[in-house]
Amino acid sequence: SMATNPTEPIVASTFNAELIKREGELYGEDALWAKESMCICPGVNLHRTPYCARNHEYYSEDSVLTNLCASAFCSGAQSKGLVTQAKHYAFNHQELNRSGLSTFLTEQAARENELRSFQGVMQNNITSTVMTAFNRCGTVYASAYEGTLVQIARNEWGFKGAVVTDITLYWACNAYQLIKAGSDMMLDAFVYGLNFGVFLDKDTILAMDDADRNITLYCLQNTAKHILYMVANSNAMQVPAGAKVRYSKTVEIDDEE
């Protein structure tokens, strides 16, 4: 079962992609038995410091090894229809006081290290969801940083899936800001009895001027598309074995049918 599987550093120490893919398949089989469609894993951040309290959730300090391990795991899980949620995108280097922490680094350091860790699962669309981080990329909240969410993930890598925030324990989670920067969903904190985050509702959208409303609705259409892509690639669809799913940018409707 999931509870008895070893932690990511132990998995990575096998250097065995075939075995790690099999672990992902086991997660997928367990999900089918439990009637679950999503698992909030794997952790794809790097071991940047021994003091990060969640290093047991991340594979290694090496971006290529992490890339290959995450790709193998997500590939196995996806083969069974389990949606994986690679996290925490990006540059999450500590656990304590991680909210609002500003991470500064050069573009070269970003691309050679943590972005490369995520690139495999996102560029190949082996994961249909990623979870963003609590920290800031420079001075901008990671869930609202267009550079990583749109410019790199969508425009460069061709990532088609959905982007979800980490749990909304902080007011920085503002849906109006997030959807314009490339985030699709907010993981609300109601499960903890907390009410943080700024959400979009019908009245707020109707109160906008025409230009702002049109932009907002366009962004919401994109979020719906990404979320539906996620669902379409999950066991929730109950697609028969051997069936082929074809994606098209346009849908032609025959009025006579």
Side-chain angles (χ1 to χ4, degrees), residues 33 46 150 173 201 255:
W33 173 81
L46 296 179
V150 178
C173 288
D201 56 27
D255 294 335

Side-chain angles (χ1 to χ4, degrees), residues 122-141:
M122 295 175 71
Q123 187 170 33
N124 296 309
N125 286 291
I126 305 171
T127 186
S128 51
T129 318
V130 292
M131 175 182 283
T132 48
F134 278 131
N135 59 273
R136 299 175 186 272
C137 300
T139 60
V140 182
Y141 176 38

Side-chain angles (χ1 to χ4, degrees), residues 4-17:
T4 58
N5 280 340
T7 59
E8 271 82 346
I10 296 175
V11 170
S13 68
T14 68
F15 292 87
N16 190 328

Side-chain angles (χ1 to χ4, degrees), residues 232 239 243-247:
V239 177
K244 293 184 178 180
V245 180
R246 181 170 59 89
Y247 298 97

